[in-house]
């Protein structure tokens, strides 16, 4: 492709949509932060960054956060720089410093908030942070000259080489953890992010072509039908399950913990039940967990049970349930 034409396309569409949080400051700055927007509310601790740089005026970029610094020297023939950095939960500040011959020529600051559904202290971000979306046709135009923005999945067919997924180029970090969810690690991203489900997301409908429903359980139960039937049949269901927030405990993509739960089991339980635990300790509740180091799920199920407090079924009952979940005989 003709590099000049490519550049022109890029420049033409830059003014549209994404990335113009403070247009005046950026109009004169040699470095434009195309992504991310200021005051973005994020759910992941990896942040994608795209900069457009006037390499006549800048020869080095430094990205500073409280977690450290990332430096890169620029190649005069490249106008766009794409990278990613790590953030921590809660408030983060990103400082983009542009240098020429070791002299600071511009400095731009962005603030973000990484929220967590399980830690009380990160559950309620300050109102100035807002969910922001990227995938609209207008925003994607600025990337098209170098990235294929189309969906190249064949429904239900796993990628043999996941790097061939168009989504992979920009989102490769999302499945980089020990325990991965089958549809995500096979890069069948649009089996969940299929756009249609956006109709069930009233708060953000129309903001992105890859929305998921809110609450998310509808989506999960489309594939996990047996769980739906089983859990519905129980008398006691855990509140976050019943309200459809599977993603409070599970990361839909991958995590360092089995069943891709977001944190070790007891941290997940205690994230929401801190006060209960304290109360249990102080008032001598009959929860035996208060005085042992056992996993909460040694006695409780996280989902639903026919016993109060979601206590696990007795072993004979458990055997019965297993038959319900996996009706081997019915299948053969
Ligand atoms: C001039 C070409 C070009 C343009 C325009 C461009 N990119 Fe990139 N991008 C690249 C290249 C090349 C890579 C591979 C990373 C590397 O090795 O430097 C990349 C990598 C990325 C990554 C992965 C970064 C990482 O380290 O994980 C993201 C995210 C990304 N691009 C987003 C975008 C978005 C969003 C746009 C549009 C706003 C965009 N890019 C526009 C060339 C471009
Ligand atoms: C050119 C890079 C690029 C490509 C290719 C890309 N994405 Fe993204 N995507 C981004 C950026 C940048 C964001 C903004 C938030 C972030 O950094 O995670 C984003 C955000 C998202 C979001 C959050 C909702 C939104 O609109 O902000 C979803 C879901 C998503 N991408 C799914 C996909 C899927 C599925 C594919 C493949 C069909 C894909 N992406 C391809 C760069 C890309
Ligand atoms: C099993 C369903 C499922 C699959 C498969 C899936 N996702 Fe998601 N994704 C979700 C849900 C649900 C959310 C909403 C936030 C959450 O629960 O973490 C989400 C959120 C996201 C986000 C936004 C994170 C944020 O900051 O809010 C991105 C980006 C994303 N997914 C990309 C992808 C990519 C790329 C793939 C393919 C590898 C993929 N997803 C596969 C269910 C899925
Ligand atoms: C497109 C189909 C699909 C969707 C949608 C889906 N899953 Fe899955 N899920 C699978 C497959 C396939 C497996 C691996 C086979 C299995 O163990 O059932 C799996 C496995 C799992 C497992 C591990 C089960 C085990 O025994 O190892 C969990 C946990 C899980 N999914 C949770 C979820 C949650 C939460 C959602 C909603 C955000 C969801 N799934 C949505 C297809 C799906
Ligand atoms: C309160 C946290 C929590 C919520 C909410 C939650 N899960 Fe789980 N889930 C877990 C934990 C913890 C495990 C691992 C259980 C174990 O190892 O015994 C698990 C295991 C699973 C499994 C595999 C084992 C099984 O029972 O089949 C599936 C599938 C699953 N969850 C799907 C879902 C779906 C779908 C939802 C939403 C409707 C959901 N989960 C909501 C915490 C949760
Ligand atoms: C996302 C928040 C959340 C997480 C995570 C969570 N719970 Fe809950 N849990 C609730 C809510 C809300 C209720 C219902 C209100 C209440 O009783 O506090 C509840 C109720 C319960 C109850 C019944 C309490 C009663 O008095 O009836 C038990 C037992 C319980 N949870 C155990 C657990 C265990 C074990 C885990 C970890 C696997 C866990 N919870 C994780 C939010 C959560
Ligand atoms: C050794 C088994 C066992 C373990 C481990 C255990 N529990 Fe319990 N838990 C129980 C029993 C039994 C009850 C019912 C007490 C009753 O009958 O009043 C209970 C009750 C509860 C209740 C409801 C009582 C209340 O105070 O409102 C909560 C919440 C709870 N457990 C949370 C947890 C959490 C969180 C963990 C992990 C830190 C945990 N449990 C570990 C056996 C256990």
């Amino acid at each position: 492709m003709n590099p000049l034409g490519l550049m022109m396309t890029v420049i033409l569409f830059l003014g549209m949509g994404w990335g113009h949080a403070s247009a005046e400051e950026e109009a004169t700055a040699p470095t434009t932060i195309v992504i991310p927007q200021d005051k973005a509310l994020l759910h992941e601790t990896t942040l994608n960054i795209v900069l457009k740089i006037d390499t006549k005026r800048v020869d080095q970029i430094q990205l500073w956060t409280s977690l450290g610094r990332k430096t890169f020297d620029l190649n005069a023939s490249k106008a766009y720089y794409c990278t990613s950095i790590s953030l921590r939960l809660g408030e983060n500040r990103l400082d983009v410093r542009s240098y020429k011959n070791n002299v600071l020529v511009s400095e731009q600051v962005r603030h973000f908030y990484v929220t967590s559904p399980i830690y009380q202290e990160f559950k309620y971000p300050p109102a100035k942070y807002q969910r922001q979306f990227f995938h609209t046709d207008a925003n994607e135009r600025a990337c098209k000259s170098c990235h294929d923005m189309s969906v190249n999945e064949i429904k239900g067919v796993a990628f043999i080489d996941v790097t061939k997924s168009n989504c992979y180029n920009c989102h490769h970090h999302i499945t980089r953890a020990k325990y991965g969810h089958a549809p995500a690690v096979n890069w069948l991203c649009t089996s969940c992010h299929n756009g249609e489900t956006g109709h069930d997301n009233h708060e953000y409908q129309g903001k992105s072509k890859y929305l998921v429903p809110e609450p998310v359980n509808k989506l999960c139960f489309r594939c996990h039908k047996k769980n739906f039937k089983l859990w519905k049949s129980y008398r006691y269901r855990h509140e976050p399950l019943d309200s459809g927030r599977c993603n409070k405990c599970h990361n839909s993509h991958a995590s360092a913990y089995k069943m891709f739960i977001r944190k070790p089991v007891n941290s997940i339980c205690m994230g929401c039940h801190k006060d209960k635990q304290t109360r249990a300790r102080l008032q001598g509740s009959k929860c035996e967990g208060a005085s042992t180091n056992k996993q909460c799920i040694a006695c409780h199920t996280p989902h639903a049970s026919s016993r109060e407090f979601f206590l696990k079924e007795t072993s004979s009952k458990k055997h019965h349930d297993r038959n319900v979940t996996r009706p081997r005989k019915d299948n053969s």
Side-chain angles (χ1 to χ4, degrees), residues 117-281:
I118 44 176
Y119 291 126
Q120 212 67 42
E121 57 271 46
F122 303 118
K123 245 187 215 173
Y124 307 105
K128 65 178 173 183
Y129 296 101
Q130 296 288 326
R131 189 83 177 81
Q132 295 174 352
F133 294 94
F134 169 68
H135 286 288
T136 60
D137 287 335
N139 290 333
E140 287 181 355
R141 265 182 217 127
C143 327
K144 270 186 172 159
S145 52
C146 304
H147 294 276
D148 187 340
M149 301 306 294
S150 68
V151 176
N152 66 337
E153 254 168 69
I154 303 170
K155 207 175 177 218
V157 182
F159 278 89
I160 294 165
D161 175 1
V162 297
T163 65
K164 296 284 192 292
S165 156
N166 285 347
C167 317
Y168 184 87
N169 295 321
C170 296
H171 291 293
H172 50 90
H173 47 79
I174 212 158
T175 54
R176 199 171 285 161
K178 186 165 179 195
Y179 297 97
H181 191 199
V185 297
N186 289 312
W187 286 80
L188 300 174
C189 309
T190 58
S191 59
C192 292
H193 295 283
N194 65 3
E196 289 164 32
T197 50
H199 295 303
D200 297 322
N201 190 327
H202 297 294
E203 192 175 0
Y204 297 122
Q205 189 172 341
K207 297 260 161 122
S208 162
K209 45 176 100 160
Y210 298 127
L211 284 183
V212 284
E214 176 62 36
V216 80
N217 58 341
K218 259 186 208 169
L219 177 62
C220 310
F221 287 140
R222 238 176 25 207
C223 296
H224 295 284
K225 292 194 172 78
K226 284 176 189 167
N227 292 81
F228 174 74
K229 278 197 197 128
L230 179 67
W231 295 339
K232 210 176 90 177
S233 74
Y234 285 136
R235 175 154 182 212
Y236 299 99
R237 286 185 298 271
H238 198 191
E239 192 280 337
L241 177 97
D242 229 19
S243 62
R245 265 77 183 188
C246 316
N247 48 344
K248 288 211 166 176
C249 299
H250 295 278
N251 184 314
S252 310
H253 311 118
S255 95
Y257 311 99
K258 278 190 189 152
M259 312 283 177
F260 14 97
I261 53 174
R262 292 183 183 271
K263 296 285 159 198
V265 174
N266 283 24
S267 314
I268 285 204
C269 307
M270 293 312 295
C272 289
H273 287 288
K274 246 178 210 155
D275 48 341
K276 294 245 157 193
Q277 175 76 340
T278 319
R279 214 178 65 202
R281 282 224 171 99

Side-chain angles (χ1 to χ4, degrees), residues 221 223-238 241-242 301-307 310-313 316-327:
F221 287 140
C223 296
H224 295 284
K225 292 194 172 78
K226 284 176 189 167
N227 292 81
F228 174 74
K229 278 197 197 128
L230 179 67
W231 295 339
K232 210 176 90 177
S233 74
Y234 285 136
R235 175 154 182 212
Y236 299 99
R237 286 185 298 271
H238 198 191
L241 177 97
D242 229 19
T301 94
H303 304 121
S305 166
S306 59
R307 296 178 62 194
F310 327 119
L311 290 169
K312 286 198 162 169
E313 310 293 312
S316 61
K317 187 83 196 331
K318 214 180 201 171
H319 182 71
H320 168 75
D321 290 343
R322 200 165 281 148
N323 287 339
V324 178
T325 334
R326 301 189 180 83

Side-chain angles (χ1 to χ4, degrees), residues 3-33:
L4 197 72
L6 188 148
M7 195 93 94
M8 289 306 292
T9 323
V10 163
I11 290 165
L12 262 173
F13 289 112
L14 216 123
M16 308 181 63
W18 188 265
H20 278 246
S22 44
E24 280 175 34
E25 159 214 341
E26 313 248 295
T28 51
T31 302
T32 308
I33 305 174

